Amino acid sequence: MDLSVDDTTTTTVELGVLGMTCAACVGRVEKALRAVDGVTDAKVNLVTHRATVRVATDGTPLAALAAAVEAAGYEPVREPERQILADAEDRELQALRRDLVVATGLTVPLLVLAMSHGLLPWAETAPGRWLQLALAAPVVLGPGRRFFRLAWAAARHRAADMNTLIAIGTGAAFVYSLAALVFPGLFPHAGHGRVPHLYFEASSAVLVFVLFGKTLEARARKRLAGAVRGLVSLQPAIAHRIVGDREEDTPVSALATGELVLVRPGERLPADGVIERGDSAIDESMLTGESLPVDKAPGDPVYGGTLNGSGAVVVRVAAVGRGSALARIVEAVERAQGSKAPIARLADTVSGIFVPIVLGIALVTLAVWLAVDPTSDGIAIAVERFVSVLVIACPCALGLATPAAVAVGTGRGAELGILVKGGAALEAASRVDRVLLDKTGTLTEGRPALTDVVDRSGLGEDALLALVASAERASEHPVGRAVVEGATRRGLSLAEGTDFRSVAGGGIEAVVLGRRVRVGTASFLASQGSDAGALEEEAQRLAAHGRTPFFVAVDGALAGIVAVADTPPPSARRAVDELRALGISVAIVTGDRERTARAIAAHVGVDDVVAEVRPEGKAAVVTRERAQGHVVAMVGDGVNDAPALAGADVGIAVGTGADVAIAAADIALLRGGIARLPLALALARATMRTIRQNLFWAFVYNVVGLPLAAGLLFPWTGWQLSPLVASALMSLSSVSVLASSLRLRTFAKGSSWTT
């Protein structure tokens, strides 16, 4: 059982449910669960076989939920772990394959007998007709028994689903044929040596085609969970735990917080933790997307599932199981795959009323054709049309149209580093036409970097920068670190500074190689007797381009300027261009100064800027944009942008695997930063396009197929649909919906994802 506390009054419980075959099954399980005392809501997913139930925290026994599922005619799985459900799916797939082989082996000779049309004269003799029964009965009463069992379970709850249609259709054909074989006298119009027609082959062939479709569905559903299985496989099964002075292998599931584990070169880390001993370069691309390994030393955090490089390290476990970064990603993907998009309500509503309507149409079809021709041949035709209507109208494709596409879309997103928190988020993201971008940490790198060195001392840029960086080495300020990093990247040799002093909000000073170096604002230098006026115009020019300038004085004389900036990566401009290619307008909303914000906006090609706004002001901008009719996506870092993220139609957080649980966001870009934003919105559009295509063809299939099956067009066109063809088309419709959804697995593997 999976429990997570949503608030102080309710708890979320997850329960596995096996045996569901269509949207009507989902509706029946949801209704049964909601009827249990203490349940406030229940959502069931056909693809993932999971029921997510919200219950009162004062206690709803798991046994009561399991009993409700069982009473509805399905198999509850109280511990819906991935492996347990996967094993159950494997058993179901094996059972379907076995039944399909048996049914096919008996039905093929039955079809040869029944459809010989005189080529086998003995087929119409009494032994031949009884042989047809001998071949059909094991199919209907053996592999076909599953459909009758589920139909009976639905009937006991005064409901009907696709199993009802299959059971009634095949049962009617079989019973009619049995009566015609055993009591031919009941069909007086078949006199003068004629015998009534048998439909044993129809009942068997329908079951074969349905079983074939169900087998393909089961195989496709296994593929739907490929992304989650891929993530789970990143975590090793065994860890090398250190106990005293010895090492022992233990299952990762048995690790406890605070224990030490040894990770050898080339192995994946078993859990999140902190390095205690050793140095190594660790490949964290599965979390961050960075292609280069990250150097790690004692005290540095590491994450389970990442790949250790060249050095052996000893890690103290900090988080295991569901507390790890990888587990949170997997859990979020599974919840997303189990959620419903709002568009699914249409399919659920239609499926809920569809089966009773089809039963009514089938009965009307039977009555009309009996009235048209009450002879033995007419009765046979009426039964054939009755069976065809019931078989072709199964709403399997409708039930699979949305959850299959959502499951594949969210799974593909996880592979691309895009965590979509459910079908509703996907649907909203597909309609976005306005994107609001935070600046710092979203559109920019999130940390300052050295951009300019202006020398007025005659020492040269590198010599001046070496003095400034040497003075800044003792500083903990981000600007100081940026200057030091910039000098290091240029390959400059730095000296040790002495007599270091820092003035908050002003600057720093230190003695480097016998020279007193001061770095800071114009007012700071003025307070120390240095006039920065000669470089004020240059400082203004740098500020106009989004840089932050600091004046430098050496031994009291103005020496130059160093400037830093939080610059956008090259991918930011490409992301903005790609958003425009998708027809989405872009604006920057930031708390930074107007001049800096506009400089950054010009750099990435954005004209619309709202600057100097507090977090609550960003939320007000979101509200205003929505009031103007836009579908708004707010993109931020998930901290001070939380109010705006929560208020937007879609909140998108830029983060890493380590901070995946950004509660205010609907979508998290786990790697690649802003470059992944167009990809995320394009994926949402592709998923919704697939859902609409699935629903369209599912509806068209039934709209076209029902009149043909009922024989409505037969008097004018001669067109009709036999039960065999109807069952083949019904199975094909479900498989086509799954195949259409699985196309999303190739999303972004080509170059046309922005279309």
Side-chain angles (χ1 to χ4, degrees):
M1 180 177 67
D2 179 24
L3 293 175
S4 59
V5 177
D6 292 335
D7 51 45
T8 58
T9 60
T10 61
T11 299
T12 298
V13 181
E14 285 196 348
L15 191 70
V17 182
L18 300 177
M20 297 184 296
T21 56
C22 67
C25 298
V26 170
R28 188 155 64 251
V29 175
E30 287 180 342
K31 182 179 179 181
L33 288 171
R34 287 170 183 156
V36 177
D37 289 340
V39 173
T40 59
D41 191 22
K43 290 182 172 62
V44 177
N45 186 272
L46 179 62
V47 173
T48 60
H49 300 293
R50 285 177 182 263
T52 302
V53 189
R54 295 188 68 182
V55 300
T57 53
D58 54 6
T60 297
L62 179 60
L65 300 177
V69 170
E70 197 165 5
Y74 303 93
E75 180 185 347
V77 180
R78 300 193 185 193
E79 297 291 339
E81 298 297 331
R82 283 178 293 272
Q83 191 56 50
I84 293 176
L85 291 177
D87 291 344
E89 280 195 351
D90 287 341
R91 290 195 301 272
E92 174 66 10
L93 180 56
Q94 290 172 3
L96 283 168
R97 285 172 173 164
R98 182 187 64 243
D99 287 350
L100 177 60
V101 169
V102 171
T104 303
L106 293 170
T107 300
V108 169
L110 175 59
L111 287 171
V112 171
L113 281 175
M115 306 182 73
S116 62
H117 301 299
L119 295 177
L120 299 174
W122 62 271
E124 290 300 320
T125 64
R129 290 163 67 84
W130 281 96
L131 179 58
Q132 291 183 44
L133 170 63
L135 291 170
V139 176
V140 175
L141 302 178
R145 187 174 65 249
R146 67 172 64 224
F147 301 106
F148 291 94
R149 184 183 70 252
L150 291 171
W152 174 245
R156 286 194 296 114
H157 291 84
R158 298 180 178 85
D161 57 19
M162 66 147 285
N163 300 294
T164 305
L165 302 182
I166 295 295
I168 293 178
T170 57
F174 185 82
V175 170
Y176 167 84
S177 301
L178 183 63
L181 175 64
V182 179
F183 305 108
L186 295 176
F187 303 87
H189 295 286
H192 305 291
R194 295 176 58 199
V195 292
H197 188 71
L198 304 180
Y199 285 97
F200 286 126
E201 84 286 355
S203 60
S204 295
V206 166
L207 291 173
V208 167
F209 280 119
V210 173
L211 286 168
F212 179 66
K214 291 299 171 192
T215 302
L216 293 181
E217 283 179 31
R219 288 181 59 190
R221 279 200 299 267
K222 286 191 66 175
R223 292 183 62 193
L224 294 182
V228 171
R229 287 198 301 270
L231 289 170
V232 172
S233 67
L234 293 175
Q235 186 175 53
I238 299 296
H240 311 305
R241 181 166 55 187
I242 297 176
V243 182
D245 57 354
R246 61 187 177 86
E247 170 196 330
E248 63 179 31
D249 288 349
T250 185
V252 170
S253 58
L255 288 179
T257 302
E259 291 185 324
L260 295 176
V261 293
L262 171 66
V263 185
R264 296 187 175 92
E267 294 181 338
R268 291 193 178 274
L269 275 76
D272 294 4
V274 176
I275 292 182
E276 287 283 317
R277 298 192 298 274
D279 301 276
S280 185
I282 294 181
D283 180 358
E284 296 185 338
S285 58
M286 50 80 67
L287 286 178
T288 66
E290 294 294 335
S291 57
L292 295 177
V294 180
D295 291 331
K296 298 285 186 176
D300 289 339
V302 290
Y303 303 102
T306 55
L307 183 63
N308 188 24
S310 56
V313 292
V314 174
V315 176
R316 186 171 297 279
V317 175
V320 293
R322 296 183 62 187
S324 69
L326 178 61
R328 292 200 301 272
I329 295 174
V330 170
E331 182 180 5
V333 173
E334 286 183 324
R335 287 189 181 277
Q337 290 187 336
S339 69
K340 291 183 181 180
I343 196 172
R345 288 194 294 265
L346 173 63
D348 289 347
T349 301
V350 171
S351 297
I353 62 174
F354 191 67
V355 173
I357 290 176
V358 168
L359 286 172
I361 293 174
L363 290 172
V364 170
T365 300
L366 178 66
V368 168
W369 283 103
L370 285 175
V372 169
D373 184 2
T375 66
S376 176
D377 288 343
I379 294 173
I381 291 172
V383 170
E384 181 179 284
R385 303 269 159 78
F386 173 73
V387 173
S388 296
V389 168
L390 290 175
V391 170
I392 200 169
C394 288
C396 308
L398 282 175
L400 289 168
T402 298
V406 168
V408 180
T410 53
R412 180 58 181 153
E415 293 174 346
L416 294 170
I418 301 165
L419 183 61
V420 184
K421 299 181 181 178
L426 264 179
E427 184 165 343
S430 72
R431 297 184 287 109
V432 166
D433 60 8
R434 180 74 160 167
V435 167
L436 304 180
L437 297 170
D438 175 48
K439 183 182 75 68
T440 305
T442 300
L443 197 58
T444 65
E445 298 281 7
R447 55 189 176 87
L450 179 70
T451 57
D452 300 89
V453 179
V454 179
D455 176 45
R456 289 293 184 269
S457 66
L459 296 172
E461 286 187 5
D462 284 353
L464 179 64
L465 177 58
L467 283 174
V468 173
S470 297
E472 292 279 13
R473 287 181 72 177
S475 174
E476 293 297 325
H477 195 280
V479 170
R481 290 198 297 271
V483 172
V484 173
E485 289 173 3
T488 303
R489 282 197 299 270
R490 294 192 185 192
L492 303 181
S493 177
L494 305 185
E496 288 292 333
T498 60
D499 197 18
F500 176 83
R501 183 172 71 94
S502 175
V503 177
I508 64 100
E509 67 173 305
V511 176
V512 180
L513 300 175
R515 311 187 72 171
R516 185 162 293 277
V517 180
R518 294 186 177 95
V519 186
T521 63
S523 60
F524 171 67
L525 263 62
S527 70
Q528 304 301 313
S530 301
D531 182 11
L535 288 176
E536 185 62 37
E537 185 176 340
E538 181 67 14
Q540 291 294 330
R541 184 189 68 80
L542 291 170
H545 287 83
R547 278 92 168 188
T548 302
F550 296 93
F551 298 96
V552 180
V554 178
D555 292 333
L558 184 65
I561 294 175
V562 292
V564 299
D566 183 11
T567 57
S571 58
R573 180 63 184 251
R574 291 196 301 271
V576 170
D577 291 341
E578 289 167 355
L579 288 171
R580 289 207 179 96
L582 290 170
I584 298 171
S585 61
V586 182
I588 294 176
V589 182
T590 178
D592 209 342
R593 292 173 297 179
E594 179 85 18
R595 177 179 292 178
T596 303
R598 291 205 173 275
I600 295 294
H603 185 80
V604 299
V606 175
D607 299 323
D608 197 353
V609 177
V610 181
E612 301 180 25
V613 290
R614 298 174 65 84
E616 58 271 22
K618 292 181 181 180
V621 173
V622 168
T623 302
R624 184 178 71 236
E625 293 283 348
R626 294 184 66 184
Q628 293 174 358
H630 291 296
V631 179
V632 178
M634 177 68 203
V635 187
D637 60 11
V639 183
N640 62 339
D641 300 309
L645 289 171
D649 294 284
V650 183
I652 303 177
V654 178
T656 66
D659 54 18
V660 65
I662 301 173
D666 302 299
I667 297 175
L669 307 179
L670 303 185
R671 60 177 186 256
I674 193 70
R676 282 286 194 259
L677 176 60
L679 196 63
L681 299 180
L683 173 62
R685 292 186 178 187
T687 304
M688 289 308 301
R689 184 164 59 247
T690 299
I691 289 174
R692 293 188 186 99
Q693 290 171 351
N694 288 350
L695 289 173
F696 172 79
W697 289 112
F699 279 120
V700 167
Y701 159 81
N702 283 296
V703 168
V704 173
L706 273 173
L708 280 174
L712 190 63
L713 303 180
F714 180 76
W716 297 279
T717 65
W719 295 349
Q720 58 183 334
L721 214 57
S722 72
L724 274 68
V725 176
S727 59
L729 290 176
M730 183 272 292
S731 297
L732 182 62
S733 69
S734 297
V735 174
S736 66
V737 162
L738 288 167
S740 172
S741 300
L742 286 168
R743 287 183 302 147
L744 288 168
R745 288 174 63 91
T746 64
F747 176 81
K749 290 184 178 178
S751 59
S752 59
W753 62 267
T754 55
T755 59

